[in-house]
Amino acid sequence: MFFERPESGETAVLVHVEFEDSTEREDTSEFLELVRSAGAEPAALLTGSRRKPSPKTMIGEGKLEEARAMLREHGAELAIFNHALSPSQERNIERELQCRVLDRTGLILDIFAQRARTHEGKLQVELAQLEYMATRLVRGWTHLERQKGGIGLRGPGETQLETDRRLLRGRIKSIHKRLDKVRSQRNQNRRARARAEIPSVSLVGYTNAGKSTLFNALTASDVFTADQLFATLDPTLRRLELEDVGPVVLADTVGFIRDLPHKLVEAFQATLQEAAEATLLVHVIDAADEERESHGQQVNAVLAEIGASDVPRLLVMNKTDLLGMAPRLERNDEGLPTVVWLSAQHQQGFDLLMQALSERLAVDVLDTRLTLSPAQGWLRAQLFELGSVREEEFDDDGRSHLSVRLPRRDFMQLLARADEDPADYLDWQELNDSGALPDSSP
């Protein structure tokens, strides 16, 4: 809505400055990837270091002069800063460089605006854009900053800037209401899954870690994948069948990134809630990335911001083919799967992942033999329909001897619907495990 993108890529000069008080060294390669993902053509990268940012222009006079020279040399009309600029800094830099200026937040918003496909995604992006642009409106309306008088010029008693801000506030309020409906619908769907006791698994991770490739391979879907940042923006839900668990809802979510704009996190709260309320988070990490540790910390920070810190987590170290490693499964001291090393691109190690998911989500499984009379054929049919019969034999009296394996909860529900007594089918120990026996403790 607010970002006009030309048909061809815009030539841009990039600016990246290290500051002494920075907690960690910034990665310019990620900055370049962001710029390319937005469709711009990086002409030059201006780097430097300062003790602290300039309150007026972020960078010093010398760097401003260098940026001006680079803009003239390459015929560029856009300068992109790998920093969050205040509205006044952005206006001051534009005045000095005589070109459009975009900061890191605006760059990420532009990429999101290009990637949004669903109605919900477009609403969320527009909300973030509006809230970002609200403080920057003055830049575009210097020629209408005074109230007018005279015949045909009498207005509502407010400046054009005030009018725009009022309209903008109204649009933001409208989008919030529509997103509240989306959030309500998502909550209703999650409650329905919870009532049906269907576990949910959310794929989370740094952008371009391979989440969508893994998602497509697991669910035979066709979610868009590309070797670029934020290839996936809109959440996708699919059904996945796991042994000893049954149906599971698998969600592919938007990738995280360093300094993900706070307003963007707020705008995508409805989407990110899928991760916050998941039964299990699968944190996908690019094992071949040298920055994987810091990227993991950034993901943890965003998960903390959306209230998902306490959700159980399974780490998936993806792209092992780039390291020449064989897939493997790591467990903790209690024997619980904690890390799966695999290659989503070549579908190597998927058996280990499915095993890990089954163990982490495993419900109480009933593994027993049943003897059913011909009159109990209804139960035999139900067990076959659930796919829980492993072996079957018949005796001379027509009775069916079944070897079954299924969630104990499902078996007890079958008996309850038919008003059958579990004691007719299970021995004492199995009944005790099922909770069908009263507690005899004092």
Side-chain angles (χ1 to χ4, degrees), residues 184-315:
S184 175
Q185 184 176 358
R186 283 189 176 277
N187 288 337
Q188 185 176 358
N189 292 339
R190 279 191 289 267
R191 285 194 296 270
R193 294 200 299 265
R195 284 195 299 270
E197 298 183 339
I198 299 176
S200 60
V201 177
S202 284
L203 300 179
V204 298
Y206 209 77
T207 182
N208 207 27
K211 297 183 298 299
S212 295
T213 301
L214 179 62
F215 181 86
N216 286 340
L218 287 174
T219 62
S221 301
D222 56 355
V223 172
F224 175 69
T225 60
D227 185 17
Q228 60 187 23
L229 303 185
F230 300 119
T232 301
L233 181 60
D234 300 305
T236 308
L237 305 181
R238 291 289 186 272
R239 178 190 177 106
L240 180 66
E241 290 286 339
L242 292 178
E243 186 178 1
D244 295 340
V245 177
V248 170
V249 173
L250 186 65
D252 186 20
T253 61
V254 61
F256 302 150
I257 197 170
R258 178 183 60 79
D259 296 335
L260 189 65
H262 183 72
K263 288 297 182 184
L264 205 53
V265 175
E266 286 184 352
F268 277 75
Q269 194 68 34
T271 298
L272 295 174
Q273 204 66 21
E274 290 290 346
E277 299 187 12
T279 310
L280 178 70
L281 292 179
V282 174
H283 183 177
V284 182
I285 299 174
D286 183 350
D289 192 338
E290 295 179 355
E291 299 290 329
R292 69 187 190 191
E293 288 190 13
S294 64
H295 289 176
Q297 293 170 0
Q298 296 295 332
V299 171
N300 292 335
V302 177
L303 290 175
E305 191 172 349
I306 64 174
S309 295
D310 297 330
V311 180
R313 213 167 300 183
L314 174 68
L315 295 183

